Amino acid sequence: MNRKQQSFFACMMIVLAAVACQVSGDPVSTPTVSPTRPATELSLFTSPTPTANAGNKLQPPDQAPTANTENDLHAIFPHFSLTDPNTVCVQHYGQALSCLDATGWHIYQDGPTPRRIIHCADGRIYLVEDEIYQYQFEGEKLVNLGGWVDQGSTLCGSGSDIWVSDLSEVMRFDGSTWTSYTVEDYFESHDDEWPDSIHSLGVEPNGNAWVTTNNTIAVFNGAAWEVVTPPGNYSFDESSGRSQLLVIDSNGVVWITANAEPCCSDEQLLKFDGVEWSVFPGPDDNFHGIQIVAVDNENRVWAATTGTKIFTLNPDTGEWELRFDVAQLGLENEWELRFEGQQLGLGFGDVNRIHQMEFDGQGRLWVTTSYGLGIYDGVEWTIYHDYTANLYMNDISDLYILGDGSRLPALKYKPFGSIRGKLVSEAQTPFTDALAKICIKSFTGNLICADQAESVNADGSFVISNVPPGSYFLHFKIANEWYALVSKDSTSFSSSLSAPSLEFGVKEGEETQLGEITTP
């Protein structure tokens, strides 16, 4: 199976995952009473309408353009537009892009959209689908550079250079030719049965490229690769997507997250200033390791853990200082307070809540999470969810910043809806101490339920009000036992809360009726 086939099957597995929750924020008036409907008649939540772009009349070509051939942007990405050099786009697991430019938020969902957007310090812009295209604002032209990007990183080099990492090789494009450097031929392998793989890639301002494998650090000096040896014996964790565990600041100082050997010693951060190595212990976050390393416009080092915290490294003391716990951010409205125990505000879940962290040209920190996008301007946070902005969904996998980043529009709450249903059971008449609550699920499958449950009336009826538009699941409690509402194709409930549940949608300002729900 070639790499494109592998990538296709990996993407198909991601698409089969459950679609993330989507939500919103102003209270609605008391819902009007209307006849209930069986759950089988419910329609799933419809994603927001993609932005229509004037002049997108060209259709994708039958064949991919050959290298160095110019094409109109809309011939390759017919429903995508990029006209503002300070645009910020967020990726939703290949399902859609949500982009913020000078005119506001836009959703790009139909047809092929760039899987990645790369902006170089010298102004070059690359759009990545299966191949890599260089983008020219004048005339909205694309130049097909060929190449291939799978699950690794794509970074800018000096001059016309582009660097791309894959599990088994690093590729360099020098403006005319692609060169491949495989693990077997260029990087030291410590185990013949289980050879090394590429874990992280970074590029210095002077164009030198750095790579980590399982057990090796190597640097390309413009002519050849050299394996370098830090002080001590280390292994290295694999970065996901863009390089997150190896970063290089504007002065060419290299920062690498490493695990000291023998196995399972504390995580450390290595620094190489061009002359000597320094070693710093990782931040103390209750056994959560470093997930992301970033440097700001003043070359200060920031680290996000696999938990919920963001730290900065004090260069004078070598100590980490806690800056933010994102679990505490964005909990200011009634909807998010329903999930107080889960701390829904910015992201949810205890592991890998933060997906990407990067600084724009203004020095603002952008953070993508499993539940929303946060921007810190040095004084305060602005936090967007799909019910306060035109985001495709709340779960955001990656982040692409062009230039200084976009102006931040004010939050605009979408009208909330409500949910109505009725529990029916011969054994439970009247219903006493019965409860109902809603749950949401991230794109990757993490399910959380509201801490605040709604009381069920004696006749089994219940209403859950002030619910943002999005996709939800229902749990209900009867006689001190919790059950999940499941498909009508089998039984109407399950005592297993992890059972495949019935997903239903809430639309803006509307009431969703679940109908009669048979209970134990």
Side-chain angles (χ1 to χ4, degrees):
M1 184 180 296
N2 62 35
R3 284 182 291 156
K4 291 192 177 184
Q5 290 174 319
Q6 292 173 338
S7 179
F8 171 78
F9 283 110
C11 291
M12 289 299 296
M13 292 301 293
I14 292 176
V15 170
L16 293 176
V19 176
C21 59
Q22 308 188 340
V23 290
S24 183
D26 286 338
V28 296
S29 57
T30 303
T32 57
V33 177
S34 55
T36 58
R37 294 179 295 144
T40 48
E41 298 179 16
L42 296 174
S43 59
L44 290 181
F45 175 71
T46 302
S47 299
T49 303
T51 302
N53 299 302
N56 295 357
K57 298 180 180 179
L58 296 177
Q59 298 299 316
D62 294 332
Q63 296 180 345
T66 57
N68 298 321
T69 299
E70 285 193 358
N71 295 272
D72 185 278
L73 170 69
H74 305 300
I76 309 300
F77 304 109
H79 299 287
F80 176 73
S81 181
L82 184 63
T83 58
D84 185 349
N86 296 311
T87 298
V88 176
C89 292
V90 294
Q91 178 68 257
H92 305 280
Y93 296 94
Q95 302 300 294
L97 279 174
S98 300
C99 295
L100 177 62
D101 60 23
T103 61
W105 284 100
H106 309 277
I107 294 173
Y108 301 104
Q109 175 185 4
D110 289 347
T113 58
R115 291 193 289 118
R116 299 176 191 178
I117 303 172
I118 313 300
H119 190 202
C120 304
D122 58 12
R124 288 176 290 152
I125 295 176
Y126 300 96
L127 307 183
V128 178
E129 194 195 26
D130 283 350
E131 296 176 298
I132 301 174
Y133 301 88
Q134 186 165 0
Y135 177 67
Q136 301 170 356
F137 275 108
E138 185 176 354
E140 291 190 297
K141 294 295 184 181
L142 293 180
V143 178
N144 187 343
L145 305 181
W148 168 252
V149 180
D150 196 357
Q151 302 299 315
S153 303
T154 306
L155 299 177
C156 304
S158 58
S160 299
D161 282 7
I162 307 169
W163 289 90
V164 177
S165 68
D166 197 355
L167 288 176
S168 60
E169 61 184 330
V170 173
M171 292 156 282
R172 177 195 180 198
F173 180 73
D174 63 5
S176 60
T177 304
W178 285 96
T179 303
S180 173
Y181 306 97
T182 62
V183 172
E184 293 81 0
D185 293 335
Y186 291 91
F187 309 117
E188 181 178 337
S189 181
H190 293 265
D191 191 319
D192 292 334
E193 183 177 359
W194 299 103
D196 281 353
S197 58
I198 305 297
H199 280 192
S200 294
L201 171 68
V203 181
E204 294 183 51
N206 65 6
N208 289 351
W210 288 69
V211 163
T212 65
T213 69
N214 301 47
N215 305 285
T216 299
I217 302 174
V219 61
F220 184 77
N221 61 13
W225 287 96
E226 177 185 358
V227 174
V228 298
T229 304
N233 188 21
Y234 296 94
S235 63
F236 305 97
D237 289 332
E238 182 176 354
S239 295
S240 57
R242 303 174 70 187
S243 181
Q244 296 173 305
L245 299 179
L246 188 162
V247 298
I248 303 175
D249 68 24
S250 62
N251 292 326
V253 176
V254 181
W255 300 87
I256 304 173
T257 302
N259 299 302
E261 297 292 342
C263 175
C264 309
S265 299
D266 291 339
E267 186 176 58
Q268 297 180 347
L269 185 66
L270 307 182
K271 172 187 176 182
F272 183 67
D273 62 8
V275 178
E276 61 182 3
W277 291 88
S278 303
V279 180
F280 303 90
D284 181 12
D285 188 21
N286 298 325
F287 305 107
H288 289 110
I290 296 176
Q291 169 78 359
I292 306 165
V293 179
V295 291
D296 63 19
N297 298 22
E298 298 178 9
N299 289 326
R300 292 174 299 187
V301 176
W302 297 61
T305 68
T306 53
T308 65
K309 297 176 182 178
I310 298 175
F311 296 83
T312 55
L313 181 65
N314 186 318
D316 297 324
T317 65
E319 300 293 330
W320 293 97
E321 299 175 355
L322 176 63
R323 295 298 300 270
F324 305 106
D325 186 344
V326 299
Q328 306 295 329
L329 300 175
L331 295 172
E332 62 276 357
N333 65 47
E334 184 272 342
W335 161 249
E336 289 152 356
L337 288 175
R338 293 186 190 183
F339 297 82
E340 186 174 7
Q342 304 285 350
Q343 297 176 313
L344 184 61
L346 186 59
F348 65 74
D350 292 330
V351 179
N352 297 340
R353 176 189 293 248
I354 300 173
H355 294 162
Q356 187 70 31
M357 183 173 73
E358 190 172 335
F359 291 89
D360 65 17
Q362 301 180 49
R364 297 176 300 183
L365 174 65
W366 294 68
V367 176
T368 68
T369 74
S370 55
Y371 195 77
L373 169 69
I375 303 98
Y376 178 66
D377 64 4
V379 178
E380 60 182 3
W381 284 86
T382 299
I383 296 175
Y384 294 108
H385 296 103
D386 62 5
Y387 54 88
T388 61
N390 195 28
L391 290 174
Y392 175 73
M393 67 181 181
N394 285 315
D395 202 347
I396 302 171
S397 56
D398 213 337
L399 170 69
Y400 314 115
I401 300 176
L402 278 66
D404 290 337
S406 307
R407 177 187 63 84
L408 302 182
L411 304 186
K412 185 177 180 180
Y413 281 87
K414 300 175 183 177
F416 281 22
S418 59
I419 301 167
R420 181 180 293 272
K422 187 174 184 179
L423 304 182
V424 177
S425 172
E426 294 181 359
Q428 298 288 336
T429 307
F431 285 88
T432 58
D433 300 324
L435 299 171
K437 63 182 178 181
I438 51 177
C439 307
I440 60 178
K441 183 164 61 176
S442 72
F443 184 82
T444 51
N446 192 1
L447 181 71
I448 68 168
C449 296
D451 304 313
Q452 301 175 15
E454 305 295 328
S455 297
V456 175
N457 297 325
D459 65 353
S461 63
F462 63 89
V463 175
I464 303 175
S465 60
N466 297 333
V467 179
S471 297
Y472 297 96
F473 304 86
L474 182 75
H475 289 177
F476 56 90
K477 184 179 181 181
I478 302 291
N480 294 319
E481 295 291 335
W482 281 100
Y483 301 89
L485 175 63
V486 298
S487 172
K488 292 284 185 176
D489 293 337
S490 53
T491 58
S492 57
F493 65 90
S494 171
S495 58
S496 171
L497 299 184
S498 61
S501 299
L502 176 67
E503 183 178 10
F504 57 89
V506 173
K507 296 182 179 180
E508 292 184 30
E510 296 185 13
E511 181 181 272
T512 296
Q513 300 180 31
L514 297 180
E516 294 185 342
I517 302 169
T518 303
T519 65

